[in-house]
Structures are given as structure tokens and as C-alpha cells.
Amino acid sequence: TMRNTMGSVISDGSMYVGSAGAGIASLNDNYEITELYDYTNSTLQDLEPNIPYDFVSITDLTTSEDGTIYAVNYRVPEPLIIRHTNGEWESIPFQDAPSPKTSDITYTENGFLIFTIIDVGLIVYDTRRTHDDTSDDQYKLLTTSPSSGNLPSANVTCFAVDRDNELWIGTDAGIGVIYSIESVFNQNFDGAQKIIVSQDGFNGYLFETETVEAIAVDGANRKWVGTGSSGLFLISADGADQIHNFTTANSPLLD
């Protein structure tokens, strides 16, 4: 039994499940573990290799269109784990983020991996859609620095890629938007943009006094935003207009 599962993906007819301490398991159609991958049979790494207590922590997984699996390995020197379609494993280090505290990861339709580095920001990783060859890959670490991402806060709590390939980043100080993910690799990249909204005659930044806990994109490209203390919001596709705010007063949400 694997406790504390941390995401799952389907690849080549099997389900792969990450765990908070036991590595990655592959499951068959009956949800039985057929293989358990850790530092002994893959490039996954142990959190404390010099201590006689195995702890191979996978915080999330995602998969590309060809079935390549990408996972993030918590607080190890090579945190990006790749399982190629031929069954071989590879791990990738990041000079800007040695042994980072990883969190969520997603793969976009344009071939970018996006994953959270806790208390730092985000990494955008360009696979160039050559999943069997990592030699041409590149990445960018996004932080609060004006020259390296301009995030509203280093505490990135969530993110979502919308239907226009815009990256919406939730933090404990509101939302920042990167309108073209490809632009992060441009020399003149000016970072995440804050959306200005008007309320009661005053202008401010979208959710700047809130912790944005979750962002989801619906079929009309509108954003559903869960907050830490003010309930659930539905906002327009561009974020400029509030459509609904669901709280205990007008919905079944609990206090």
C-alpha cells in the first residue's frame, strides 16, 4: 500500500502514481502495483542518501502527448525526473535552484513544463517537444526579481494555463499573468503582469490582498479563483470583471 499519493498519470496502458516517500509505482487495470521505482532502479533520488531511512518524495507527475512521464522529486540535486517511452529514466539538475522544494507540475500543449519551487517561484522548462533528447532543452527560473519574472510573491500557491496559452500564477499576494509562455526566454522579457481592477472608485491589483489557493479555467476561458478567506470567485477571461463571488451567504460553501 502506498500512502500519501501525490498525483498520477496514464502512459502506455499503465497508471503511474507518485508518493510522498516511496517513489513512483506503476499500477495495472486492477490497481495492483506491478513495479515500484526508487533510487535502486531508476534515476529517482533519496532525500537523505547518507541516512539509513529511504525517503524518495515525488510531489507531482505529468505526461506529454507521446507518453513521456515527467515528475518532480522533492529536495534533491536533480529534481526533474523523466521516464522516456523506451522505459529509460533521466534526471535533470537546475543550477539556479539546487535541491529545490518542488510542488506541482504540468505539461502544456506547446511543449513547456511548468513546476513550482516552494518559497522561490516557478520554473518554465522548454522540452522543444523532443522528448527523447534533452540536449536542446532550456529553462527559466521565475522569481520576484523584476528582471527574472516579477512575480507578485515568492509564495506561488497555484497556477493554470488558459485557452490562450496564458500562464495565470496565484500567490499569497494576488495573481500575475504571463501572456505568452514562450516570452520568458526572450531577452526583453518583462515578467508577470498584474491586472488592474476598479472597485468602489479605486484602482488596485487583482486579489492583491488575498491568498489565491486555486485557479481553474472553464470552457469560456473564464477563471474560477478560490481564495484563502473570501470564498470562490468567477472572473472574466481577462480578469478585469468579477462575475460572481460565492460565499457562505449565497452558496452551500462552508465557513
Side-chain angles (χ1 to χ4, degrees):
T1 301
M2 292 181 66
R3 294 178 295 174
N4 299 327
T5 57
M6 307 296 285
S8 64
V9 296
I10 303 293
S11 178
D12 195 28
S14 296
M15 175 180 288
Y16 292 82
V17 179
S19 82
I24 297 175
S26 62
L27 311 180
N28 60 20
D29 292 341
N30 295 320
Y31 301 104
E32 299 167 329
I33 295 178
T34 57
E35 189 72 62
L36 183 61
Y37 299 99
D38 57 21
Y39 64 88
T40 65
N41 58 358
S42 72
T43 60
L44 275 66
Q45 297 171 5
D46 192 349
L47 177 65
E48 296 287 354
N50 297 321
I51 296 177
Y53 174 75
D54 296 342
F55 194 83
V56 182
S57 182
I58 302 298
T59 57
D60 199 12
L61 305 92
T62 189
T63 186
S64 65
E65 64 277 354
D66 73 338
T68 301
I69 296 172
Y70 295 94
V72 274
N73 198 164
Y74 183 81
R75 230 179 72 192
V76 299
E78 298 176 343
L80 178 60
I81 304 297
I82 305 171
R83 185 185 187 274
H84 296 286
T85 54
N86 63 3
E88 294 184 358
W89 294 83
E90 184 176 3
S91 56
I92 306 295
F94 297 97
Q95 184 177 358
D96 297 343
S99 300
K101 298 176 182 178
T102 58
S103 183
D104 302 332
I105 186 171
T106 194
Y107 177 82
T108 77
E109 63 180 14
N110 291 340
F112 294 95
L113 293 168
I114 300 165
F115 53 98
T116 308
I117 305 299
I118 296 173
D119 297 328
V120 177
L122 286 171
I123 283 182
V124 177
Y125 183 96
D126 186 3
T127 69
R128 298 179 183 261
R129 303 183 80 167
T130 56
H131 304 296
D132 58 347
D133 179 13
T134 59
S135 64
D136 61 348
D137 296 354
Q138 60 179 337
Y139 78 93
K140 176 78 172 181
L141 176 64
L142 305 181
T143 69
T144 56
S145 168
S147 61
S148 299
N150 198 36
L151 300 180
S153 167
N155 185 16
V156 174
T157 49
C158 58
F159 61 85
V161 179
D162 76 1
R163 294 176 176 269
D164 292 330
N165 198 39
E166 297 175 357
L167 176 58
W168 288 62
I169 304 166
T171 75
D172 62 358
I175 288 177
V177 182
I178 295 175
Y179 291 103
S180 171
I181 298 175
E182 294 89 341
S183 69
V184 304
F185 298 103
N186 296 342
Q187 188 172 2
N188 60 350
F189 172 60
D190 54 2
Q193 305 299 306
K194 296 180 181 179
I195 297 173
I196 298 176
V197 292
S198 179
Q199 187 173 10
D200 299 327
F202 296 95
N203 290 333
Y205 292 121
L206 184 65
F207 297 114
E208 65 177 329
T209 61
E210 285 285 351
T211 296
V212 176
E213 300 285 3
I215 303 173
V217 181
D218 69 14
N221 207 30
R222 303 175 304 180
K223 280 70 183 179
W224 293 78
V225 180
T227 66
S229 60
S230 298
L232 174 65
F233 290 81
L234 174 60
I235 59 177
S236 60
D238 62 2
D241 298 315
Q242 177 180 310
I243 301 169
H244 291 296
N245 175 205
F246 298 105
T247 67
T248 57
N250 63 356
S251 78
L253 289 176
L254 302 177
D255 193 346

